[in-house]
Amino acid sequence: MSVENDKPGFLQRLQTKWKLDSLLQVVLVLVVFACTGFTILFIKNPILNFFGVEKGGFVNTILYLLLVLPLYQIFLLIYGFIFGQFKFFWEKEKQIFRRIGGLFSKRK
């Protein structure tokens, strides 16, 4: 006796949340996130070592925020382009910049 589950799966929920056309797009977006994360994992330490910064220090955190996080955003766009999902990631980048800009704009 089999009971059907009408609850959408993880990928379907992501497709709805991100307003994507297909499950293939969801998988490609997840692949872009994975590739970007691995790239940052491999380049973070050489970048911080180049500046001669100790791990875990205050300067390490500041350099990470100023150098590595912007690189992460750039790599998202690069891998997004490679995997045909540039439009999705470009829209997300614009949302991030609008939110950051909202923090510094005058509130009425």
Side-chain angles (χ1 to χ4, degrees):
M1 199 151 96
S2 171
V3 177
E4 282 191 38
N5 189 356
D6 291 337
K7 186 178 175 184
F10 176 68
L11 293 178
Q12 287 87 5
R13 290 192 309 254
L14 285 178
Q15 180 181 355
T16 303
K17 180 180 179 179
W18 290 337
K19 300 177 180 102
L20 296 173
D21 298 328
S22 69
L23 289 179
L24 176 62
Q25 271 190 289
V26 175
V27 171
L28 289 173
V29 166
L30 292 175
V31 167
V32 169
F33 279 124
C35 290
T36 303
F38 276 117
T39 302
I40 293 301
L41 177 74
F42 288 117
I43 68 170
K44 177 184 76 160
N45 286 335
I47 290 172
L48 295 177
N49 288 340
F50 176 77
F51 290 100
V53 178
E54 291 181 27
K55 291 183 179 180
F58 177 74
V59 176
N60 182 347
T61 303
I62 297 299
L63 277 177
Y64 181 82
L65 292 172
L66 292 175
L67 296 174
V68 178
L69 286 180
L71 279 175
Y72 180 86
Q73 303 304 321
I74 292 168
F75 276 108
L76 270 179
L77 293 174
I78 291 168
Y79 281 120
F81 177 77
I82 291 170
F83 287 98
Q85 300 303 310
F86 181 82
K87 182 179 176 186
F88 172 81
F89 287 100
W90 182 242
E91 291 302 318
K92 293 296 179 194
E93 292 293 328
K94 290 192 292 190
Q95 283 179 354
I96 290 170
F97 286 120
R98 281 194 291 271
R99 287 179 184 165
I100 291 172
L103 293 174
F104 298 107
S105 67
K106 284 188 175 180
R107 304 254 170 140
K108 292 183 181 180

